Amino acid sequence: MRRALVTPHVGIGQTSAKIILFGEHSVVYGHPAIAVPLRSLRMRARVEPAMENDAQSTLTALGWSGALSDAPSHFASIQRAAAVATEFVGAPDARLALTTESGFPAQRGLGSSAAAAGAVIRAIFDAYDAPATPEQIFALTQEAEKVAHGRPSGLDAVATSATAPVHFQAGRTTQLDLTVDAWLVIADSGIQGSTRETVAHVRRQYDDAFEATSQCLARLGEITTDALDDLREARVEQLGAKMTESHALLSALGVSNDSLDALVSAARGAGALGGKLTGGGGGGCVIALAGTREDARLVEAAMLAAGAHATWSHAPSSEEVAA
Ligand code: PMV
């Protein structure tokens, strides 16, 4: 390890929320996935030297403030991100004040743990004027994600740092140029989902009922591959139908619940072309595809009436996300 020669100054790091359009869970087994960064739902981290009277690094995040080492368990990936990044820049004993500010809810399948870890790592590199390649940032974010998820596929670490939609498979990322003229509606069920638990649940199913589970995962992968053609050809009806089929498969894997199913039904009842849970499931968010901005508004209203706590609409071909 090299020792940092510079005194840190204020460092800033930014990442964003993401949704998984196709391929959550199956991506863990080497199948492809497609994810879309929601660039206006930002995660920002700020790092500066700790106050003179602070004996150790501090964290201020999600309304909590205190010594970084005393942070509650849901901040474990931020602790790990700070540890690996300070080690990397050669300042493992640095006393820093870390602050994160998030424009989207945590534990809702929007990638907040990877986004927070990525933002903190970037802020620490910035504070030490340390250059880093995207591959190095990815590797360090994955270290932090292991604390949150166990064995993360890497999709969240990639998508929360991406500037465009991505195709991801077995660690390889390809940027996608989406020109589909449709709207994605995102609805927060208000229920916290634990990705660690749902990933472990699918793993148990895989071990106990190998044939059925691997078929289900393979079909999720096939849908993702076929969806690439639909995206290229802007076949929105087919994309919607594939989302709905994905939701049924994810339900069969046991990672949906009544609230998520109700939100998907409400969206489809209001004219959505399809819908599915997004991310780890067990709670968290649902996404639906709407043909026009006006349809998206109707779908949002139906999902709010069916119990959604918040909704956003996003045109995949732009950076805009309307709250
Ligand atoms: O729940 P999220 O946003 O962290 O997404 C998890 C995606 C999974 O495929 C379920 C896990 C993974 O490591 O890719």
Side-chain angles (χ1 to χ4, degrees):
M1 181 191 58
R2 64 200 165 88
R3 290 269 150 196
L5 298 175
V6 288
T7 311
H9 53 79
V10 172
I12 302 292
Q14 284 203 50
T15 52
S16 71
K18 65 90 196 53
I19 56 103
I20 300 175
L21 198 50
F22 292 105
E24 50 275 273
H25 289 288
S26 43
V27 70
V28 174
Y29 297 80
H31 297 292
I34 298 171
V36 181
L38 303 175
R39 301 259 300 145
S40 52
L41 298 184
R42 284 298 201 182
M43 177 72 73
R44 290 192 176 83
R46 181 186 157 96
V47 168
E48 57 197 310
M51 306 282 268
E52 279 291 309
N53 51 356
D54 282 323
Q56 46 177 312
S57 290
T58 60
L59 173 67
T60 303
L62 297 176
W64 186 88
S65 194
L68 180 60
S69 57
D70 295 342
S73 59
H74 57 275
F75 292 127
S77 71
I78 293 186
Q79 287 171 329
R80 183 83 184 124
V84 293
T86 48
E87 173 90 17
F88 192 94
V89 300
D93 305 322
R95 284 184 309 108
L96 300 172
L98 312 180
T99 307
T100 63
E101 271 173 36
S102 179
F104 57 98
Q107 290 186 295
R108 301 293 206 283
L110 295 178
S112 72
S113 68
V120 163
I121 290 164
R122 281 179 167 70
I124 291 174
F125 275 83
D126 186 33
Y128 284 89
D129 291 324
T133 63
E135 291 75 23
Q136 285 166 332
I137 302 251
F138 170 78
L140 296 178
T141 308
Q142 275 292 83
E143 284 302 311
E145 275 287 271
K146 281 182 199 158
V147 176
H149 286 185
R151 290 214 328 244
S153 66
L155 177 61
D156 279 11
V158 164
T160 53
S161 288
T163 53
V166 289
H167 177 268
F168 178 91
Q169 183 167 22
R172 284 191 311 281
T173 307
T174 317
Q175 197 164 305
L176 299 174
D177 183 19
L178 294 196
T179 50
V180 180
D181 193 15
W183 286 78
L184 272 175
V185 180
I186 301 134
D188 177 8
S189 68
I191 303 165
Q192 287 194 350
S194 162
T195 300
R196 181 184 269 281
E197 277 168 27
T198 56
V199 168
H201 174 82
V202 174
R203 177 64 61 186
R204 278 194 299 276
Q205 294 239 108
Y206 187 78
D207 292 339
D208 297 346
F210 174 76
E211 275 302 317
T213 309
S214 53
Q215 264 175 30
C216 201
L217 295 167
R219 178 66 196 139
L220 284 165
E222 258 168 35
I223 290 177
T224 307
T225 301
D226 293 347
L228 275 180
D229 290 333
D230 294 338
L231 285 166
R232 231 173 266 125
E233 305 291 328
R235 294 191 293 244
V236 286
E237 275 87 11
Q238 283 92 325
L239 281 171
K242 287 186 173 67
M243 287 167 70
T244 305
E245 188 188 344
S246 293
H247 185 73
L249 290 160
L250 291 163
S251 284
L253 286 174
V255 298
S256 187
N257 61 28
D258 289 349
S259 306
L260 301 180
D261 293 348
L263 290 175
V264 170
S265 296
R268 294 184 61 213
L273 302 166
K276 64 183 275 289
L277 66 84
T278 186
C285 287
V286 156
I287 54 172
L289 193 68
T292 64
R293 178 80 185 100
E294 187 44 38
D295 287 352
R297 285 206 183 92
L298 295 173
V299 170
E300 282 193 56
M303 296 218 269
L304 286 167
H309 282 213
T311 57
W312 301 267
S313 282
H314 172 70
S317 52
S318 82
E319 290 204 349
E320 185 191 348
V321 176

mmCIF file of all heavy atoms in Angstrom, residues 18 20 23-28 109-111 113 145 149 151-156 195 198-199 278-281, ligand 1:
data_model
loop_
_atom_site.group_PDB
_atom_site.id
_atom_site.type_symbol
_atom_site.label_atom_id
_atom_site.label_comp_id
_atom_site.label_asym_id
_atom_site.label_seq_id
_atom_site.Cartn_x
_atom_site.Cartn_y
_atom_site.Cartn_z
ATOM 1 N N LYS A 18 -31.013 3.292 -9.878
ATOM 2 C CA LYS A 18 -31.134 2.521 -11.124
ATOM 3 C C LYS A 18 -32.379 1.629 -11.022
ATOM 4 O O LYS A 18 -32.840 1.322 -9.923
ATOM 5 C CB LYS A 18 -29.888 1.659 -11.358
ATOM 6 C CG LYS A 18 -29.672 0.557 -10.293
ATOM 7 C CD LYS A 18 -30.337 -0.737 -10.657
ATOM 8 C CE LYS A 18 -30.539 -1.768 -9.626
ATOM 9 N NZ LYS A 18 -31.083 -1.837 -8.418
ATOM 10 N N ILE A 20 -33.779 -2.185 -12.658
ATOM 11 C CA ILE A 20 -33.431 -3.336 -13.497
ATOM 12 C C ILE A 20 -34.653 -3.609 -14.374
ATOM 13 O O ILE A 20 -35.754 -3.855 -13.873
ATOM 14 C CB ILE A 20 -33.060 -4.556 -12.637
ATOM 15 C CG1 ILE A 20 -31.844 -4.217 -11.758
ATOM 16 C CG2 ILE A 20 -32.752 -5.763 -13.534
ATOM 17 C CD1 ILE A 20 -31.438 -5.290 -10.766
ATOM 18 N N GLY A 23 -33.906 -9.176 -15.817
ATOM 19 C CA GLY A 23 -32.787 -10.047 -15.446
ATOM 20 C C GLY A 23 -32.333 -10.034 -14.001
ATOM 21 O O GLY A 23 -31.284 -10.618 -13.712
ATOM 22 N N GLU A 24 -33.101 -9.390 -13.069
ATOM 23 C CA GLU A 24 -32.666 -9.507 -11.677
ATOM 24 C C GLU A 24 -32.758 -10.967 -11.250
ATOM 25 O O GLU A 24 -33.565 -11.731 -11.782
ATOM 26 C CB GLU A 24 -33.465 -8.621 -10.702
ATOM 27 C CG GLU A 24 -34.953 -8.680 -10.766
ATOM 28 C CD GLU A 24 -35.478 -7.737 -11.828
ATOM 29 O OE1 GLU A 24 -35.710 -6.558 -11.571
ATOM 30 O OE2 GLU A 24 -35.691 -8.275 -12.949
ATOM 31 N N HIS A 25 -31.975 -11.348 -10.315
ATOM 32 C CA HIS A 25 -31.814 -12.714 -9.792
ATOM 33 C C HIS A 25 -31.167 -13.654 -10.806
ATOM 34 O O HIS A 25 -30.150 -14.269 -10.481
ATOM 35 C CB HIS A 25 -33.140 -13.289 -9.259
ATOM 36 C CG HIS A 25 -33.546 -12.624 -7.980
ATOM 37 N ND1 HIS A 25 -32.885 -12.865 -6.791
ATOM 38 C CD2 HIS A 25 -34.491 -11.693 -7.704
ATOM 39 C CE1 HIS A 25 -33.414 -12.116 -5.838
ATOM 40 N NE2 HIS A 25 -34.394 -11.393 -6.362
ATOM 41 N N SER A 26 -31.706 -13.745 -12.052
ATOM 42 C CA SER A 26 -31.059 -14.644 -13.018
ATOM 43 C C SER A 26 -29.633 -14.166 -13.319
ATOM 44 O O SER A 26 -28.750 -14.973 -13.627
ATOM 45 C CB SER A 26 -31.894 -14.748 -14.297
ATOM 46 O OG SER A 26 -32.368 -13.487 -14.692
ATOM 47 N N VAL A 27 -29.384 -12.830 -13.179
ATOM 48 C CA VAL A 27 -28.042 -12.289 -13.442
ATOM 49 C C VAL A 27 -27.003 -12.877 -12.477
ATOM 50 O O VAL A 27 -25.838 -13.032 -12.820
ATOM 51 C CB VAL A 27 -28.069 -10.732 -13.384
ATOM 52 C CG1 VAL A 27 -28.274 -10.213 -11.962
ATOM 53 C CG2 VAL A 27 -26.805 -10.133 -13.975
ATOM 54 N N VAL A 28 -27.463 -13.242 -11.279
ATOM 55 C CA VAL A 28 -26.560 -13.821 -10.277
ATOM 56 C C VAL A 28 -26.034 -15.180 -10.775
ATOM 57 O O VAL A 28 -24.965 -15.628 -10.368
ATOM 58 C CB VAL A 28 -27.309 -13.974 -8.925
ATOM 59 C CG1 VAL A 28 -26.475 -14.707 -7.887
ATOM 60 C CG2 VAL A 28 -27.748 -12.601 -8.396
ATOM 61 N N GLY A 109 -34.934 -1.624 -3.841
ATOM 62 C CA GLY A 109 -34.544 -2.180 -5.135
ATOM 63 C C GLY A 109 -34.066 -1.136 -6.123
ATOM 64 O O GLY A 109 -33.966 -1.402 -7.318
ATOM 65 N N LEU A 110 -33.758 0.074 -5.632
ATOM 66 C CA LEU A 110 -33.276 1.135 -6.533
ATOM 67 C C LEU A 110 -31.751 1.270 -6.480
ATOM 68 O O LEU A 110 -31.184 2.186 -7.055
ATOM 69 C CB LEU A 110 -33.945 2.477 -6.191
ATOM 70 C CG LEU A 110 -35.467 2.532 -6.408
ATOM 71 C CD1 LEU A 110 -36.031 3.887 -5.985
ATOM 72 C CD2 LEU A 110 -35.833 2.260 -7.871
ATOM 73 N N GLY A 111 -31.116 0.367 -5.753
ATOM 74 C CA GLY A 111 -29.648 0.324 -5.768
ATOM 75 C C GLY A 111 -28.991 1.277 -4.787
ATOM 76 O O GLY A 111 -27.838 1.668 -4.994
ATOM 77 N N SER A 113 -27.655 0.946 -1.833
ATOM 78 C CA SER A 113 -26.408 0.567 -1.146
ATOM 79 C C SER A 113 -25.216 0.713 -2.098
ATOM 80 O O SER A 113 -24.180 1.270 -1.714
ATOM 81 C CB SER A 113 -26.485 -0.841 -0.548
ATOM 82 O OG SER A 113 -26.533 -1.819 -1.553
ATOM 83 N N GLU A 145 -20.328 -3.818 -1.662
ATOM 84 C CA GLU A 145 -21.590 -4.514 -1.948
ATOM 85 C C GLU A 145 -21.616 -5.923 -1.346
ATOM 86 O O GLU A 145 -22.685 -6.421 -1.000
ATOM 87 C CB GLU A 145 -21.796 -4.598 -3.469
ATOM 88 C CG GLU A 145 -22.433 -3.361 -4.059
ATOM 89 C CD GLU A 145 -23.903 -3.289 -3.685
ATOM 90 O OE1 GLU A 145 -24.729 -3.822 -4.411
ATOM 91 O OE2 GLU A 145 -24.209 -2.685 -2.624
ATOM 92 N N HIS A 149 -24.843 -7.510 0.259
ATOM 93 C CA HIS A 149 -25.586 -8.546 -0.484
ATOM 94 C C HIS A 149 -25.026 -9.948 -0.402
ATOM 95 O O HIS A 149 -25.646 -10.868 -0.913
ATOM 96 C CB HIS A 149 -25.605 -8.192 -1.991
ATOM 97 C CG HIS A 149 -26.526 -7.074 -2.321
ATOM 98 N ND1 HIS A 149 -26.750 -6.686 -3.613
ATOM 99 C CD2 HIS A 149 -27.287 -6.294 -1.558
ATOM 100 C CE1 HIS A 149 -27.595 -5.676 -3.613
ATOM 101 N NE2 HIS A 149 -27.926 -5.414 -2.372
ATOM 102 N N ARG A 151 -23.044 -12.119 -2.259
ATOM 103 C CA ARG A 151 -22.291 -12.309 -3.514
ATOM 104 C C ARG A 151 -22.966 -11.544 -4.634
ATOM 105 O O ARG A 151 -23.680 -12.124 -5.447
ATOM 106 C CB ARG A 151 -22.235 -13.796 -3.863
ATOM 107 C CG ARG A 151 -21.342 -14.576 -2.912
ATOM 108 C CD ARG A 151 -20.600 -15.736 -3.559
ATOM 109 N NE ARG A 151 -21.284 -16.386 -4.640
ATOM 110 C CZ ARG A 151 -21.693 -17.666 -4.624
ATOM 111 N NH1 ARG A 151 -21.543 -18.387 -3.539
ATOM 112 N NH2 ARG A 151 -22.256 -18.200 -5.677
ATOM 113 N N PRO A 152 -22.773 -10.237 -4.692
ATOM 114 C CA PRO A 152 -23.475 -9.430 -5.701
ATOM 115 C C PRO A 152 -22.995 -9.734 -7.120
ATOM 116 O O PRO A 152 -21.820 -10.026 -7.321
ATOM 117 C CB PRO A 152 -23.115 -7.994 -5.308
ATOM 118 C CG PRO A 152 -21.813 -8.114 -4.596
ATOM 119 C CD PRO A 152 -21.830 -9.439 -3.891
ATOM 120 N N SER A 153 -23.908 -9.657 -8.084
ATOM 121 C CA SER A 153 -23.528 -9.921 -9.477
ATOM 122 C C SER A 153 -22.630 -8.825 -10.029
ATOM 123 O O SER A 153 -21.913 -9.033 -10.990
ATOM 124 C CB SER A 153 -24.778 -10.008 -10.347
ATOM 125 O OG SER A 153 -25.410 -8.734 -10.398
ATOM 126 N N GLY A 154 -22.726 -7.618 -9.453
ATOM 127 C CA GLY A 154 -21.989 -6.466 -9.978
ATOM 128 C C GLY A 154 -22.881 -5.526 -10.768
ATOM 129 O O GLY A 154 -22.489 -4.408 -11.095
ATOM 130 N N LEU A 155 -24.110 -5.974 -11.043
ATOM 131 C CA LEU A 155 -25.026 -5.154 -11.842
ATOM 132 C C LEU A 155 -25.320 -3.804 -11.164
ATOM 133 O O LEU A 155 -25.298 -2.764 -11.821
ATOM 134 C CB LEU A 155 -26.340 -5.934 -12.067
ATOM 135 C CG LEU A 155 -27.442 -5.226 -12.814
ATOM 136 C CD1 LEU A 155 -27.009 -4.852 -14.224
ATOM 137 C CD2 LEU A 155 -28.700 -6.101 -12.876
ATOM 138 N N ASP A 156 -25.574 -3.823 -9.860
ATOM 139 C CA ASP A 156 -25.885 -2.567 -9.160
ATOM 140 C C ASP A 156 -24.689 -1.615 -9.170
ATOM 141 O O ASP A 156 -24.852 -0.403 -9.374
ATOM 142 C CB ASP A 156 -26.267 -2.839 -7.701
ATOM 143 C CG ASP A 156 -27.708 -3.282 -7.566
ATOM 144 O OD1 ASP A 156 -28.332 -3.583 -8.598
ATOM 145 O OD2 ASP A 156 -28.206 -3.319 -6.426
ATOM 146 N N THR A 195 -32.441 -7.526 -0.182
ATOM 147 C CA THR A 195 -31.873 -8.249 -1.329
ATOM 148 C C THR A 195 -31.067 -9.452 -0.846
ATOM 149 O O THR A 195 -31.106 -10.517 -1.448
ATOM 150 C CB THR A 195 -31.015 -7.297 -2.175
ATOM 151 O OG1 THR A 195 -31.877 -6.248 -2.625
ATOM 152 C CG2 THR A 195 -30.415 -7.980 -3.380
ATOM 153 N N THR A 198 -33.660 -12.189 -0.276
ATOM 154 C CA THR A 198 -34.297 -12.768 -1.470
ATOM 155 C C THR A 198 -33.275 -13.534 -2.312
ATOM 156 O O THR A 198 -33.596 -14.578 -2.875
ATOM 157 C CB THR A 198 -35.024 -11.701 -2.322
ATOM 158 O OG1 THR A 198 -34.103 -10.674 -2.681
ATOM 159 C CG2 THR A 198 -36.216 -11.102 -1.595
ATOM 160 N N VAL A 199 -32.033 -13.036 -2.367
ATOM 161 C CA VAL A 199 -30.990 -13.767 -3.108
ATOM 162 C C VAL A 199 -30.736 -15.122 -2.423
ATOM 163 O O VAL A 199 -30.617 -16.163 -3.086
ATOM 164 C CB VAL A 199 -29.695 -12.928 -3.216
ATOM 165 C CG1 VAL A 199 -28.518 -13.757 -3.703
ATOM 166 C CG2 VAL A 199 -29.907 -11.747 -4.163
ATOM 167 N N THR A 278 -38.870 -4.807 -9.567
ATOM 168 C CA THR A 278 -37.515 -4.479 -10.034
ATOM 169 C C THR A 278 -36.548 -4.567 -8.857
ATOM 170 O O THR A 278 -36.881 -4.148 -7.751
ATOM 171 C CB THR A 278 -37.475 -3.086 -10.695
ATOM 172 O OG1 THR A 278 -36.171 -2.866 -11.255
ATOM 173 C CG2 THR A 278 -37.793 -1.949 -9.736
ATOM 174 N N GLY A 279 -35.383 -5.170 -9.092
ATOM 175 C CA GLY A 279 -34.410 -5.323 -8.004
ATOM 176 C C GLY A 279 -34.659 -6.618 -7.252
ATOM 177 O O GLY A 279 -35.263 -7.557 -7.773
ATOM 178 N N GLY A 280 -34.213 -6.652 -6.023
ATOM 179 C CA GLY A 280 -34.251 -7.883 -5.244
ATOM 180 C C GLY A 280 -35.641 -8.397 -4.936
ATOM 181 O O GLY A 280 -35.850 -9.597 -4.766
ATOM 182 N N GLY A 281 -36.635 -7.512 -4.819
ATOM 183 C CA GLY A 281 -38.010 -7.924 -4.492
ATOM 184 C C GLY A 281 -38.200 -8.118 -2.995
ATOM 185 O O GLY A 281 -37.416 -7.607 -2.192
HETATM 186 O O1 PMV B 1 -32.291 -4.945 -4.870
HETATM 187 P P1 PMV B 1 -31.188 -4.341 -5.659
HETATM 188 O O2 PMV B 1 -31.497 -3.029 -6.245
HETATM 189 O O3 PMV B 1 -29.916 -4.295 -4.863
HETATM 190 O O4 PMV B 1 -30.902 -5.322 -6.923
HETATM 191 C C1 PMV B 1 -30.425 -6.628 -6.711
HETATM 192 C C2 PMV B 1 -30.278 -7.372 -8.005
HETATM 193 C C3 PMV B 1 -30.118 -8.891 -7.836
HETATM 194 O O5 PMV B 1 -30.041 -9.439 -9.160
HETATM 195 C C4 PMV B 1 -31.305 -9.520 -7.120
HETATM 196 C C5 PMV B 1 -28.852 -9.247 -7.067
HETATM 197 C C6 PMV B 1 -27.545 -9.031 -7.825
HETATM 198 O O6 PMV B 1 -26.496 -9.186 -7.176
HETATM 199 O O7 PMV B 1 -27.555 -8.770 -9.044
#
